[in-house]
Amino acid sequence: MYLLKLPEKAETLDDLKLMLQQALGLELTVIAPYLTALYTIKDPASPAATIIQSIVVEEMLHMAMDFNLINAIGGKGDLVDVAEKFKNLPIQVRWSTPSSKSSRQYY
């Protein structure tokens, strides 16, 4: 299942923005499973934990690069758009914003 059908190549600036936005969403969605795996390892100093933690950091760097590229071409990266695509997950996920009463709400 594809979240969004993308063009094979970016022929316009809007195509590129769309592709980078999808890349941003991909990076965001792969971080959670890696963190879940990391937090299930009892020994945080184990080789497995160290490797998974390095993968999480790499994914976050990819996300930062996606944001930088989107900004460089005049776009605006949107994580809320990613959240909307995943709102029908089997669990309820709530997003907080800095304007919320508590900006650190985790569910």
Side-chain angles (χ1 to χ4, degrees), residues 36-106:
T36 301
L38 178 63
Y39 294 142
T40 61
I41 298 173
K42 291 188 189 320
D43 179 10
S46 72
T50 303
I51 290 169
I52 293 172
Q53 185 176 16
S54 71
I55 292 170
V56 170
V57 170
E58 286 294 319
E59 297 303 338
M60 290 179 180
L61 290 171
H62 296 160
M63 239 174 83
M65 287 188 286
D66 289 337
F67 266 118
N68 287 341
L69 287 167
I70 291 169
N71 287 334
I73 61 172
K76 182 179 176 188
D78 186 1
L79 293 179
V80 174
D81 179 60
V82 175
E84 280 297 310
K85 287 181 176 50
F86 292 95
K87 69 181 177 184
N88 294 321
L89 291 172
I91 60 169
Q92 194 66 26
V93 178
R94 294 185 189 170
W95 298 82
S96 64
T97 62
S99 63
S100 303
K101 288 183 181 178
S102 170
S103 62
R104 295 200 178 257
Q105 298 174 6
Y106 300 98

Side-chain angles (χ1 to χ4, degrees), residues 9-30:
K9 63 181 182 175
E11 295 183 6
T12 67
L13 194 56
D14 285 338
D15 288 347
L16 182 57
K17 288 176 185 176
L18 179 65
M19 293 169 124
L20 288 170
Q21 177 62 40
Q22 284 299 104
L24 181 63
L26 174 66
E27 300 301 342
L28 179 66
T29 56
V30 299

